[in-house]
Amino acid sequence: MIDFSHIDSRLDKILEPTYGQLIFQEQVTEIAQQLAGWTAGQADALRKAIGRKIPAEMAELIPKLHKAFVEYGGITDIQADTLCTGIENCASYSFNKSHSVEYGLIAYQTAYLKANYPLEYMCSLLNANYDSEEDIVKYKEECERMGIEILPPSVKAGNLRYEPEGNAIRMGLNSIKGVNNVQLDYFTNFDDWISKNGSLNKRIKEALIKSGACDCFGLPRKTMLCKALGVYDEIQKYEDKITEAKTKIIAKEAEREAKKDGTKIKEQLTGQIKRLAETISRYENERDALQLLADEPFDEIAGEKEVLGFTFQDEFSKYDTSKYPLYNAKYFGSQTFYANVVGVKKIKDKNGKPMAFISAIPYKSKAKVEFVMFASRYEPMEEGLYLLRVEKKTQLTGCYKLP
């Protein structure tokens, strides 16, 4: 904080309402008029430059203001320096009075609601930003910090928006990518849900299942996906076609046996049998491809990230997390820990060598931490799960991408 009291008594009345500190833009314009002799128009140009927060505009006006303080206001160069520094600093945070009052009022109201109606307040916040993946992740972390559990979306609950549920908040179906204001008919089980909600296209059903919204049926998500996308039905169709083609081959072969060798009809039957065998081979390939799709493991975490932007599950569950301690933001020495890298910004240092800024969420942490990897320790990185080694709290000295 800058002490303006020793500069000029004319400042006392201007800064008295804010305890001697520059807070409002109107104070800057008044100072420019009274101590620099600027017209209302000139002072307003300074106010606009502060409002736009463009350093280049301020850099052009400050020398002129400094000169006017000395020549018109009669203060010393050192005093003018102090006053200009204060005005430059003020440009980074000040608002006009009317905005400041409104922001202050809104801040008070929202703080009151957050303190006294936390569930309702956080629901409103989540609903207001449901289409912003970044904001939802941020507010979800804030809910966890406040001890409020965010429950996965559910077709059984059926809520489209975030809603309080007991002491928790249930995520709305509208927050799932590709799902918007779906209307669900009453159902008793998964097959009933599929049959009664035929108006939902396969893309919506797939998104609902991947999000975990259909976990209430108690079936594996892979099984539900295969049913909803008709994979099992398609496999059965190919099975039926293969059986039908094989039956035709048996009949054709019996018919061919009864014909004399060298006759045209026998040659035609041989060609028909060959084409049926080729058809069976094609059907078998299609069936096997679908069966492979049905049999391959399904990554639930990847599915949730795809349609929600985050996951409700523990991404590190398949690793032995007890091998390394949790990240300690206050520890200055070397430490190795698990982390989810969520952002990588690659740049070059002053010598043109590559370095990077890494955004990561340490295991069991609720907050994102910014790390730096200097050129001497630089290794190419991408988003994903890592074992990280850092020194001096945030200097990344090593990394290993988990398989």
Side-chain angles (χ1 to χ4, degrees):
M1 295 177 65
I2 296 176
D3 181 10
F4 298 102
S5 61
H6 65 285
I7 295 177
D8 192 281
S9 59
R10 286 171 290 183
L11 290 174
D12 295 343
K13 186 177 180 180
I14 297 172
L15 301 181
E16 183 181 5
T18 53
Y19 301 95
Q21 292 301 311
L22 269 173
I23 301 296
F24 302 119
Q25 293 173 2
E26 286 86 350
Q27 290 175 307
V28 176
T29 59
E30 195 171 352
I31 290 171
Q33 288 178 279
Q34 292 195 21
L35 272 75
W38 282 16
T39 64
Q42 289 174 310
D44 193 56
L46 177 62
R47 181 196 63 77
K48 288 179 180 178
I50 291 173
R52 286 193 287 265
K53 293 178 171 56
I54 300 176
E57 291 187 10
M58 290 298 295
E60 183 181 343
L61 290 170
I62 287 297
K64 298 176 183 178
L65 189 62
H66 183 283
K67 183 179 179 182
F69 280 150
V70 175
E71 294 181 355
Y72 178 86
I75 62 177
T76 66
D77 278 329
I78 294 176
Q79 290 173 327
D81 283 339
T82 302
L83 192 50
C84 285
T85 298
I87 290 172
E88 284 185 288
N89 292 344
C90 175
S92 66
Y93 62 80
S94 67
F95 293 96
N96 59 53
K97 281 185 179 180
S98 59
H99 284 186
S100 299
V101 169
E102 286 301 319
Y103 291 150
L105 179 61
I106 291 171
Y108 173 81
Q109 290 172 332
T110 52
Y112 175 84
L113 291 172
K114 186 177 182 181
N116 293 280
Y117 303 95
L119 280 175
E120 292 79 2
Y121 174 78
M122 293 308 296
C123 271
S124 297
L125 201 57
L126 289 161
N127 283 322
N129 298 276
Y130 80 95
D131 56 349
S132 170
E133 184 178 304
E134 184 178 349
D135 286 340
I136 290 298
V137 171
K138 178 172 65 177
Y139 297 138
K140 178 176 176 290
E141 291 173 355
E142 176 64 8
C143 284
E144 290 173 352
R145 188 196 67 78
M146 296 167 64
I148 299 173
E149 183 183 5
I150 302 293
L151 303 174
S154 170
V155 294
K156 187 176 182 180
N159 54 300
L160 299 178
R161 295 159 56 84
Y162 286 88
E163 290 184 4
E165 187 173 309
N167 293 321
I169 294 175
R170 174 72 67 181
M171 189 176 187
L173 299 178
N174 278 355
S175 296
I176 304 169
K177 292 178 184 176
V179 178
N180 186 39
N181 293 330
V182 295
Q183 299 297 321
L184 301 177
D185 291 328
Y186 175 78
F187 50 85
T188 56
N189 53 48
F190 181 75
D191 291 333
D192 190 40
W193 177 72
I194 291 292
S195 64
K196 288 184 177 177
N197 291 279
S199 60
L200 301 181
N201 60 43
K202 289 184 178 181
R203 180 180 54 81
I204 292 176
K205 291 175 183 176
E206 181 180 1
L208 288 168
I209 293 167
K210 285 183 175 180
S211 73
C214 295
D215 287 355
C216 55
F217 296 117
L219 297 173
R221 292 183 192 177
K222 181 59 178 289
T223 301
M224 291 190 287
L225 272 174
C226 288
K227 283 189 173 186
L229 301 181
V231 175
Y232 295 140
D233 291 340
E234 287 297 312
I235 290 173
Q236 188 57 52
K237 284 180 184 178
Y238 281 116
E239 289 284 8
D240 294 341
K241 288 180 178 180
I242 291 168
T243 300
E244 182 183 356
K246 285 181 177 179
T247 301
K248 287 182 179 180
I249 285 179
I250 293 171
K252 296 287 183 185
E253 285 177 339
E255 186 179 354
R256 184 179 63 175
E257 285 297 318
K259 303 299 180 183
K260 292 181 180 181
D261 292 339
T263 60
K264 187 175 181 180
I265 187 65
K266 192 160 189 173
E267 290 177 1
Q268 289 175 344
L269 288 168
T270 300
Q272 291 172 8
I273 290 168
K274 183 181 177 182
R275 287 192 292 275
L276 282 168
E278 290 171 350
T279 299
I280 289 173
S281 178
R282 188 174 70 253
Y283 287 160
E284 286 176 339
N285 289 336
E286 295 289 345
R287 177 203 61 192
D288 293 345
L290 287 169
Q291 191 63 56
L292 184 64
L293 177 65
D295 292 341
E296 69 180 4
F298 175 64
D299 190 339
E300 293 189 359
I301 290 176
E304 287 184 16
K305 285 185 173 183
E306 177 188 341
V307 298
L308 298 178
F310 61 89
T311 177
F312 283 95
Q313 302 187 45
D314 180 6
E315 296 183 77
F316 294 92
S317 58
K318 63 180 180 179
Y319 305 106
D320 182 6
T321 53
S322 63
K323 289 176 65 176
Y324 298 95
L326 299 179
Y327 172 69
N328 184 349
K330 297 180 180 180
Y331 183 60
F332 207 71
S334 177
Q335 51 182 320
T336 301
F337 55 92
Y338 290 104
N340 182 10
V341 173
V342 295
V344 178
K345 182 180 179 182
K346 301 173 185 176
I347 63 170
K348 291 185 177 180
D349 65 11
K350 60 182 180 182
N351 297 316
K353 295 182 178 180
M355 61 175 291
F357 293 99
I358 309 298
S359 300
I361 303 174
Y363 177 60
K364 290 293 186 182
S365 174
K366 304 299 183 186
K368 185 166 58 177
V369 181
E370 303 296 331
F371 299 97
V372 59
M373 180 186 284
F374 292 112
S376 59
R377 300 296 184 96
Y378 178 78
E379 293 181 47
M381 291 183 68
E382 58 186 11
E383 293 183 4
L385 304 183
Y386 278 83
L387 194 59
L388 300 181
R389 184 175 67 250
V390 301
E391 294 177 355
K392 299 178 181 178
K393 299 181 182 179
T394 57
Q395 291 186 17
L396 196 55
T397 59
C399 62
Y400 169 71
K401 195 170 192 306
L402 300 175

